[in-house]
Amino acid sequence: DPKIIQKPKYLVAVTGSEKILICEQYLGHNAMYWYRQSAKKPLEFMFSYSYQKLMDNQTASSRFQPQSSKKNHLDLQITALKPDDSATYFCASSQDWGPNTGQLYFGEGSKLTVL
Amino acid sequence: QEKVQQSPESLIVPEGAMSSLNCTFSNSASQSIWWYQQHPGKGPEALISIFSNGNKKEGRLTVYLNRASLHVSLHIRDSQPSDSAVYLCAVSKGSNYQLIWGSGTKLIIKP
């Protein structure tokens, strides 16, 4: 059974609209992350959270807003969508954040297409 | 800015042979180096990590790290068709412990 659940798996949006990507992890981890993977580009770090606190934000645009309602839950709200936002968004988690982060565990991703 | 480069971009290996993948990074002070495997439509899955110079072996996997030459390699012994995937090299950096990722090597094992 998947231990990190991302919803939806696929979504199509029109330019200018807003979408929310859902992520829940059942690994008991204290740190959660969002990454983006675009065609022909490396995985790109977006946000990290530890115990529901934002630890790092490498996303230049305020159109991307993470939301953590529970320790095992980290959603990603994207507003004013643009075609360049088309990508697969991965949620990940690790036992802890910091120098001994250890391995990341990834969900299966949410593939967003913006028309 | 840490950079991670992987080579080759793609690799075809006969079943049962050794697969060798390379990764170079730009900062010798980088912390751990990780290798992840990614199958189509799935998220990356961690395979093996290394921190100290030298080699580390786990099952069919061996990883070699040379910090002086900023190079790490992954070798898969007795490659199987199920090993066909994209392999990602990731290097942890700095005080915010981010992972910086390479673009990947697409490995195809031919039966």
Side-chain angles (χ1 to χ4, degrees):
Chain A
D1 286 339
K3 298 291 193 241
I4 299 181
I5 297 173
Q6 289 191 242
K7 294 177 184 176
K9 191 165 174 68
Y10 301 98
L11 65 166
V12 179
V14 295
T15 298
S17 67
E18 172 183 314
K19 290 292 181 187
I20 295 180
L21 310 183
I22 307 292
C23 177
E24 292 180 276
Q25 57 93 0
Y26 296 95
L27 293 163
H29 288 169
N30 301 314
M32 295 185 72
Y33 311 81
W34 278 104
Y35 281 85
R36 174 168 53 195
Q37 190 173 46
S38 305
K40 304 291 186 186
K41 288 186 181 178
L43 264 172
E44 177 189 354
F45 170 82
M46 299 179 74
F47 301 97
S48 61
Y49 269 69
S50 177
Y51 291 95
Q52 293 185 265
K53 179 184 170 186
L54 179 66
M55 304 306 292
D56 195 11
N57 174 2
Q58 292 292 318
T59 304
S61 173
S62 60
R63 297 186 299 107
F64 295 84
Q65 289 293 327
Q67 300 167 347
S68 179
S69 58
K70 292 184 284 189
K71 193 182 89 171
N72 72 326
H73 202 115
L74 184 64
D75 297 340
L76 181 64
Q77 181 184 37
I78 314 173
T79 58
L81 280 161
K82 302 177 180 181
D84 273 355
D85 297 331
S86 297
T88 300
Y89 291 81
F90 287 101
C91 175
S93 70
S94 63
Q95 184 61 57
D96 290 297
W97 182 93
N100 298 311
T101 292
Q103 73 180 72
L104 296 182
Y105 294 79
F106 285 82
E108 295 198 342
S110 290
K111 185 173 181 179
L112 170 65
T113 302
V114 183
L115 304 175
Chain B
Q1 175 85 7
E2 176 77 66
K3 287 189 178 177
V4 178
Q5 308 266 18
Q6 289 188 244
S7 63
E9 204 170 294
S10 62
L11 181 63
I12 300 174
V13 174
E15 183 177 355
M18 178 80 80
S19 299
S20 296
L21 292 71
N22 298 294
C23 174
T24 58
F25 49 98
S26 57
N27 185 349
S28 62
S30 298
Q31 295 149 6
S32 294
I33 294 102
W34 287 86
W35 286 94
Y36 282 73
Q37 180 191 57
Q38 187 175 21
H39 284 108
K42 303 290 186 183
E45 187 175 338
L47 290 176
I48 192 169
S49 68
I50 190 165
F51 177 79
S52 301
N53 262 338
N55 65 74
K56 181 178 178 181
K57 189 175 178 181
E58 288 184 3
R60 294 186 296 116
L61 305 179
T62 303
V63 61
Y64 293 93
L65 171 61
N66 184 329
R67 286 193 183 274
S69 62
L70 305 177
H71 181 262
V72 60
S73 59
L74 173 69
H75 304 267
I76 307 173
R77 175 177 55 84
D78 188 24
S79 300
Q80 299 298 307
S82 58
D83 295 329
S84 297
V86 174
Y87 288 78
L88 302 170
C89 175
V91 175
S92 65
K93 74 138 198 175
S95 58
N96 56 5
Y97 314 112
Q98 277 182 44
L99 282 178
I100 307 299
W101 298 79
S103 295
T105 291
K106 184 174 182 179
L107 177 63
I108 299 170
I109 307 300
K110 290 194 85 170

